[in-house]
Amino acid sequence: MKHLNKILFMALAFIVFTVNANAADFSTYITSNKTSITAGEQITVTVGIKNGNSIYGMTGALSYDTSKLSYVGASGVSPFAVTVGKNIVVDSSTGKSGTFKVATLKFKAKSSFEIGESTVIKISGVTGSDGTKTLSGAASSATIKMVAPKSSNNYLSSLSISGSKISFNKNTTNYKVTVNHN
């Protein structure tokens, strides 16, 4: 029985240490000012860090469907500077802790992004630095959906009341109808 307990303890310790060894030192997040867009519309995506401890910078692979979105530009959120290519790289000369924004990215919807389709903007393979060592970071993503543009026509197409007759005109905003008490 002692031998079985010893094996169970070692197995449990292995699992606990394995889980802790693979846990990320910080997480990233991506939010968008819009979750649905129309053709030609521009969106702004904010990239941030959650649960960071003295983060001086981070890098990760930036991926998005280039047939649906075109990259417009990026800016760092103070005190971070940003460089964007296949990777997003943010860095600062001072560390920051907690949950905070590091960069904003702008994308524009292409005409090939069809109504009803979705696309994902993702940062993966994330690493960071606290100024002395490399930290592991958790990936994040945001989903953007293409929707039909809203109509500029705000007129009613019809108006009716059961049992009564209305002389409908799209430019008329007030009607008076007399109905019986039933």
Side-chain angles (χ1 to χ4, degrees), residues 29-53:
Y29 68 87
I30 299 176
T31 59
S32 175
N33 65 332
K34 301 173 186 177
T35 56
S36 41
I37 58 175
T38 58
E41 191 172 8
Q42 188 168 298
I43 60 168
T44 301
V45 174
T46 301
V47 177
I49 292 177
K50 290 190 290 189
N51 304 319
N53 189 14

